[in-house]
Amino acid sequence: MAEDEFTEEKLSVSDRLAAEALIVDVDGFEGPLDALLMLSRTQKVDLRKISVLDLARQYLAFVDRAKQLRLELAADYLVMAAWLAFLKSRLLLPPDPADEGPSGEELAAHLAFQLERLQAMRDAAARLMARDRLGRDFFARGQTEVVARVRSVKYTATLLDLMQGYARIRTRDEFRPFVMDRNNVFTMEQALDRMRGLIGYAADWTEISSYLPEGWEMDPVRRRSATAATFAASLELVKEGHLEIRQSEVFAPIELRKRT
Amino acid sequence: MAVSDETEQQEETLFEAPVMAEQERMVEAVLFASTEPITVRELESRMPHGCDAAEALVRLRKRYEGRGVRVVKIDDAWAMRTAPDLGYLMQKETVETRKLSRAAIETLAIIAYHQPATRAEIEEIRGVSVSRGTIDQLLEMEWIRFGRRKMTPGRPVTFVVTPSFLDHFGLENARDLPGLKELRSAGLLENRPPPGAFSVAEEEDEEEATTGQSELFED
Amino acid sequence: MAVSDETEQQEETLFEAPVMAEQERMVEAVLFASTEPITVRELESRMPHGCDAAEALVRLRKRYEGRGVRVVKIDDAWAMRTAPDLGYLMQKETVETRKLSRAAIETLAIIAYHQPATRAEIEEIRGVSVSRGTIDQLLEMEWIRFGRRKMTPGRPVTFVVTPSFLDHFGLENARDLPGLKELRSAGLLENRPPPGAFSVAEEEDEEEATTGQSELFED
């Protein structure tokens, strides 16, 4: 620490001056990195050869001075000060072999890189803005001619659109009120009515299919509905004791006859 | 030119007007960038002292002779204009791709699935009337065409899909269109219909596919 | 060449593209009439079928060399612009560009040189946060636009410069930015993570940086 004190003394005059200069336009800085870049110029060397240790001292002096003058420094300036104080100690103390973190030199090199990169971007920005510019140094055609737009519309659709379109129509059908489809549905009530009328003649065993109403035998949909209704009606009539029902084996024809 | 003249000229170099080639460049740039025709007087007021804008204009006009752009005089002012014979280039053709309307897609789908389909059939399936415009649009796009008249009272015209329809949708023939079962398994038909409605449609489809469509591909 | 070939060629003459001199006139007229850069594709869409706008452009550009007006390339489009040395004649046409803040200028430069650049990268380089207004202003001026999202955690948006940026600064493409090569070889365009902060995100960033930026130099 003795050495630290000594160098601090040695730098103090120029540091104080730099700090004073900075304080004048502390509001003009765009953050601590900008302030550091400004401070680094006082070293009057290539940014690549900058002494980060000196820079850290200069910055800490600047923050001290600001505190003495009771200037409000934004939080990020103080964060940078804390980090530079840490960096300074890293740079001055012999490296701790047990410490796994980056070395002081690595941290310093990165800071130097950041400063160099910021400076490079500022130079690039200045060069960019100094270029010949449209509307200032060179110009576009002043009097443009109207380009007539001839618009032709091309309609398109995908197979998916087509399929979805078709599906939509079909799905819409399915949402029709159920009653709309009754012309293909033979209800159990209808079947019961019909069977009650016919049952008196069923003295012998007769296949249930022969009881299907006329006009319902061919169309598979109608046949399915009529068969189901007729079967249900038959069971009802069996339950009521008017009818007998039998089936000789699985899937064999179902037969009916009047209960005697 | 006399020697004395030359000396005089050299002495005056600092105050001399730019050479004519340079003046021509200036006039060219100003005419190009100006939003309106410019008079000789205005040109000269903008150019360095001693320039002869009128002379530069004459040269510039000559230079642009026969080119895509011309130097023209409008009243007492000058401007640059594109050559009149190239006016046709001043229009821009934009092709806008638009999705077919829902009505057109549905009509097209019905024709594709049920062809040959009459207008009455399309309307029955869609449940709404089909506008003349929709059919015309599909005809114009050459996705549908007239098929044979139906042998039913009134002999209505029918519509069928065209090879360019198949081409656009990447189908070899209309039979390649996915059936209702496939539509359902692809999740395009989500609700299970009452048994009647659904199977009737499917039966019809099947029948159409064997009779109606094979008819189409025979001729 | 066989006689039959010649006959064939003569027969085809009707459908042949116009001669190159004529194509040059066409390109000249179209570019002349437009303030906005025009792509080769658009030129060709406006010219008769079979024209080679790219070749006509090369010839036209040569023809205008050293003149008051120049043919310039901006990205993949072409435009005519007055020669920069004559800017002083055009005070009347000068457009007052909104004065950009230092923050905006630096942000613009960082985006141009590091593109695609995320807001975090801009902030890392400048050492301060980038205000919403700065980015908005640049977007509004159409000098920057959103690029692809970065494939790093959070998928941050990136910013890239636009053709209007290139047009404004007289650049043919982003590779022509002044000093780009030097900055690159000095390693100043690298996204170097701070020591001890080797997070996954940073590694990926680096990868992105090399693909994104070297893209500019390839081809």
Side-chain angles (χ1 to χ4, degrees), chain A residues 213-242:
Chain A
E214 240 172 274
W216 291 75
E217 310 95 322
M218 295 309 291
D219 183 330
V221 178
R222 307 192 98 202
R223 190 178 59 224
R224 208 176 303 156
S225 177
T227 305
T230 305
F231 178 63
S234 303
L235 291 181
E236 187 62 29
L237 290 172
V238 169
K239 200 171 122 192
E240 286 175 12
H242 299 302

Side-chain angles (χ1 to χ4, degrees), chain A residues 28-34 48 76 101-103 106-111 113-114 116-118 120-122 124-147, chain C residues 32-35 46 81-84 87 90 93-95 97 100 102-103 105-106 109-110 113-114 124-128 143 165 167-171 177-179 183 186-190 192-196:
Chain A
F29 286 114
E30 299 230 8
L33 205 58
D34 187 27
R48 283 167 190 266
D76 47 348
S103 71
E106 281 171 337
L107 293 172
H110 187 72
L111 179 61
F113 167 75
Q114 282 181 293
E116 197 191 344
R117 183 174 60 179
L118 179 59
M121 278 302 112
R122 293 213 166 140
R127 267 196 282 177
L128 189 65
M129 299 315 277
R131 283 183 70 84
D132 288 332
R133 288 161 64 179
L134 181 66
R136 190 187 75 179
D137 306 294
F138 61 92
F139 296 83
R141 176 73 171 135
Q143 210 175 8
T144 52
E145 276 162 63
V146 179
V147 176
Chain C
F32 207 94
S34 169
T35 32
R46 281 162 68 172
R81 300 285 181 252
T82 63
M90 254 69 75
E93 277 77 31
T94 303
V95 206
T97 23
L100 281 178
R102 181 172 146 184
I105 291 170
E106 282 181 23
I110 291 167
Y113 284 84
H114 287 81
E124 156 84 18
I125 294 170
R126 296 197 63 232
V128 280
W143 280 358
F165 164 87
D167 192 14
H168 184 88
F169 291 99
L171 296 162
L177 283 165
L183 286 172
L188 290 169
L189 301 182
E190 278 165 29
R192 202 181 289 178

Side-chain angles (χ1 to χ4, degrees), chain C residues 116 118 121 149-156 191 193 197-212:
Chain C
T118 64
E121 285 164 349
R149 281 179 183 276
K150 221 156 219 196
M151 286 309 180
T152 52
R155 308 205 62 217
N191 198 328
F198 296 105
S199 68
V200 178
E202 298 281 359
E203 302 275 354
E204 272 178 32
D205 261 353
E206 206 139 24
E207 196 198 323
E208 279 273 339
T210 43
T211 56

Side-chain angles (χ1 to χ4, degrees), chain B residues 9 14 51 78 112 138 165 176 197:
Chain B
Q9 264 200 326
L14 268 174
C51 281
W78 295 81
L138 294 171
F165 163 88
D176 288 352

Side-chain angles (χ1 to χ4, degrees), chain C residues 23-60:
Chain C
Q23 293 189 30
E24 208 191 300
R25 283 186 76 225
M26 293 175 188
V27 170
E28 184 178 33
V30 174
L31 288 195
F32 207 94
S34 169
T35 32
E36 297 294 315
I38 298 182
T39 61
V40 172
R41 181 206 283 258
E42 196 192 327
L43 278 169
E44 284 182 354
S45 79
R46 281 162 68 172
M47 291 160 75
H49 191 70
C51 282
D52 183 354
E55 171 64 18
L57 279 162
V58 169
R59 286 162 183 252
L60 191 71

Side-chain angles (χ1 to χ4, degrees), chain B residues 156-214:
Chain B
V157 294
T158 63
F159 300 99
V160 294
V161 293
T162 63
S164 81
F165 163 88
L166 298 176
D167 196 40
H168 180 92
F169 292 96
L171 298 165
E172 216 154 283
N173 59 52
R175 272 164 295 191
D176 288 352
L177 278 169
L180 278 181
K181 274 193 192 121
E182 285 158 292
L183 292 182
R184 185 179 299 285
S185 66
L188 292 167
L189 278 175
E190 269 155 34
N191 301 282
R192 202 168 163 74
F198 174 48
S199 11
V200 168
E202 205 161 39
E203 296 284 336
E204 268 176 27
D205 268 353
E206 224 135 15
E207 194 202 333
E208 284 274 339
T210 45
T211 61
Q213 295 208 337
S214 58

